[in-house]
Amino acid sequence: MQSRLRVEPDRLAAAARRVMQRCDELARVTSTPGRIERVYLSTEHARVNRLAAEWMREIGMTTRQDAAGNQVGRLAPSTGSATPRDDAPALMIGSHLDTVPDAGRFDGIVGVLMGLEVVRMLRRIRDDGLAVSPLPFALEVVAFSDEEGTRFGKALLGSSAVAGTWDDAWWSLADADGVTLRQAFLEFGLDPGRVGEAARRPDELVGYLEAHIEQGPELHRRGEALAVVSSIASARRFQLVVEGEARHAGGTPYDMRRDALLGASEIALAVERICRGEHHIIGTVGQLEAFPGAVNIVPGEAHLSVDLRGEFDGARDRVWDAISREVDEAMGRRGLRWHAREVHNAPAVFCAPLLQDVVRAGIRGPGAEEPPEIFSRAGHDAMSIGAITDVGMLFLRNPDGISHHPDESVSTADVERGIAALAESVLHLAAEPR
C-alpha cells in the first residue's frame, strides 16, 4: 500500500498542538475542582458535547446529539456530483469524553479529537483535489457518552445504544445519590422511550476506527510510538461474598475463628498467583470491604470484586474455574461459605483483518519496519460497535503505561504521528475495492 497523504508538516504539527490544547480545555470541564471527573448525563457531559459540536461544525460537519447522549458529526462523501449523498454508508471514527474519578486528560478524549483532525485534513485534501480519488464513504466522528460506567456502574452505555444492544433492565440502575438511569435521562432532556433511535444498522457503516492511548507500558518499553491493535480483551467481573462469624476480637481464640476477611484475603492472593502463571490473563481484586467493620470484632462477612480479563474467552473461563476450585478449598479449610455473582461478561473482540491491514499501512512509512501488534487488555467502545460493523484500533504510546490517573500522558509528537497514521488508514480503506 503506497502512501497517499500529502500534508505540509506545519499543518500536521498544528493539528497535534490543537489536540493537546483541546485536551487541556476539556480537562477544565469537571464536576470536582482540582481533578478531572465527567460522568454520564451530567452538566459536564452536556458542556463537552456542546464543545465537540462546535468543533465538528468548524470543520464542516453536520452534527447532532443522538437519543443516548452521544455527540455525532458527519461529513458526506464527495461523489463528483453537485449533491453529496446524505444516505451514504459512513466510516465511523470515535472514542469517549466521559472519565473515571480523578482521571487523566487523554483516555478516550485524544481519540475523539484526533478523529476531528483527520476529518479536517481529509476534507482539505478532498476539496483541494489532492487525493488520488474521492472518498467513497461518509466520515463520522462519534464522541461516546459513557464508556467508563462511572456513574451507574455499567460501562459502554453510549456505544451499546449505538450498537442496538441497550437492555431495558438498565433503566433501574442508580447512582450514588439514588438517581436512576431513567430519571437521569429525563433530567438531561432525553426521552427513555426513544433510546432505540440511537441504534445504527450494519448497512449504514463501512467500519469503525478508534485511536486510543495504550493503557499499559508495552509501547513505552519497546520504544515505539504507535501500534496496531489485534483484539480487545474478554472480561468477566464478579462480586463475591464470604460468610463467616463475627465474634469478639479479644475473647475468640484462633481455633474458633471463622474470619471472613482472612478468607477474602486468600481469594485475592489466589487471583494474583493463578493469573500470574498464565499467558495474557489479568486478574484484579479492586474492592474489599469487611463487616461489621469494627476494630474489635472478627469480621463475619467480607465483600470483594474480581475483574478477570484475557485475550481468549476460553482461557479466561478456564482460569475462573481454577480460581473457584482453590477458593472452595480455602473456604472449606477456614469454615467459611462463599458465593459469587457475575455482574459483567464481555467476549473478546477481534479487530477485522482488513482494518488491521489499513492501520498497519497507515502507521508504516516508506522504509519503516513493521509496526508492533498489541492486544488490548483494557475495554473500549469498539467492543460494543463490533456487534454491528468491523472495528480497527490504533494505540499511541503512553509513557510508563499509567492510565486512569492524572499522570497519564501522551506526547505532541506521538499525537502528530497518530493523526497522520489514522488519516493514511482512512485513505487506504477508501482505496480498497468494494
Side-chain angles (χ1 to χ4, degrees), residues 71-94:
Q71 195 66 39
V72 184
R74 179 179 173 92
L75 184 71
S78 57
T79 61
S81 66
T83 306
R85 283 184 54 204
D86 290 333
D87 63 344
L91 174 65
M92 186 183 287
I93 304 172

Side-chain angles (χ1 to χ4, degrees), residues 225-244:
L226 307 174
V228 182
V229 177
S230 59
S231 66
I232 305 169
S234 67
R236 295 179 74 180
R237 293 176 185 164
F238 302 88
Q239 294 292 334
L240 279 64
V241 175
V242 179
E243 298 173 343

Side-chain angles (χ1 to χ4, degrees), residues 3-24:
S3 174
R4 307 172 72 244
L5 187 65
R6 303 169 191 166
V7 178
E8 298 90 333
D10 59 337
R11 287 184 180 271
L12 196 53
R17 289 194 301 271
R18 192 159 39 242
V19 167
M20 301 300 276
Q21 290 163 0
R22 287 176 171 177
C23 284
D24 291 341

Side-chain angles (χ1 to χ4, degrees), residues 38-354:
R38 288 190 304 274
V39 301
Y40 190 34
L41 304 175
S42 62
T43 56
E44 293 75 31
H45 172 187
R47 286 177 61 193
V48 295
N49 271 13
R50 287 194 295 271
L51 282 169
E54 177 185 324
W55 296 333
M56 289 168 177
R57 287 190 291 268
E58 172 191 300
I59 56 176
M61 304 185 88
T62 58
T63 187
R64 62 186 175 86
Q65 181 177 271
D66 74 13
N70 303 300
Q71 195 66 39
V72 184
R74 179 179 173 92
L75 184 71
S78 57
T79 61
S81 66
T83 306
R85 283 184 54 204
D86 290 333
D87 63 344
L91 174 65
M92 186 183 287
I93 304 172
S95 198
H96 61 96
L97 296 182
D98 67 306
T99 75
V100 296
D102 200 19
R105 63 190 61 206
F106 301 109
D107 172 7
I109 290 86
V110 74
V112 176
L113 299 177
M114 284 175 57
L116 293 178
E117 293 305 321
V118 167
V119 172
R120 183 195 303 272
M121 191 175 301
L122 295 181
R123 183 181 183 193
R124 179 178 176 273
I125 290 172
R126 182 194 75 181
D127 293 349
D128 291 354
L130 298 176
V132 173
S133 60
L135 291 179
F137 43 72
L139 292 175
E140 291 187 0
V141 175
V142 182
F144 288 112
S145 53
D146 185 49
E147 191 259 13
E148 300 289 6
T150 298
R151 183 174 181 183
F152 296 102
K154 176 69 180 76
L156 305 173
L157 286 174
S159 50
S160 293
V162 172
T165 56
W166 188 273
D167 186 342
D168 284 341
W170 299 340
W171 292 120
S172 60
L173 295 172
D175 66 12
D177 296 320
V179 178
T180 66
L181 180 56
R182 178 181 295 276
Q183 182 181 347
F185 251 64
L186 294 169
E187 292 174 355
F188 195 78
L190 297 173
D191 181 352
R194 301 180 65 179
V195 69
E197 295 177 12
R200 305 295 296 274
R201 300 189 314 273
D203 64 328
E204 295 178 318
L205 302 171
V206 298
Y208 172 79
L209 292 177
E210 181 169 354
H212 206 284
I213 61 167
E214 185 199 359
Q215 293 172 288
E218 191 164 341
L219 280 172
H220 176 71
R221 288 174 175 174
R222 293 184 183 206
E224 298 276 1
L226 307 174
V228 182
V229 177
S230 59
S231 66
I232 305 169
S234 67
R236 295 179 74 180
R237 293 176 185 164
F238 302 88
Q239 294 292 334
L240 279 64
V241 175
V242 179
E243 298 173 343
E245 184 179 39
R247 296 181 64 147
H248 194 287
T252 308
Y254 280 110
D255 63 354
M256 293 181 64
R257 293 188 179 211
R258 296 168 54 212
D259 188 323
L261 179 57
L262 291 181
S265 300
E266 285 211 42
I267 294 174
L269 291 170
V271 168
E272 180 193 39
R273 178 169 35 78
I274 292 171
C275 292
R276 283 184 71 129
E278 297 284 339
H279 179 65
H280 282 180
I281 298 287
I282 301 292
T284 304
V285 173
Q287 298 171 325
L288 176 58
E289 191 173 8
F291 300 92
V295 66
N296 58 350
I297 301 178
V298 175
E301 187 168 294
H303 297 181
L304 67 157
S305 64
V306 174
D307 180 299
L308 191 62
R309 303 172 190 236
E311 186 173 11
F312 301 104
D313 300 353
R316 173 206 63 185
D317 295 343
R318 176 179 52 77
V319 168
W320 172 247
D321 290 342
I323 291 170
S324 298
R325 288 192 297 270
E326 183 146 334
V327 172
D328 278 338
E329 188 278 328
M331 299 306 102
R333 175 167 31 84
R334 288 186 171 274
L336 303 170
R337 298 183 302 275
W338 77 287
H339 62 270
R341 178 171 62 92
E342 188 168 20
V343 295
H344 177 71
N345 189 322
V349 172
F350 292 86
C351 294
L354 173 59

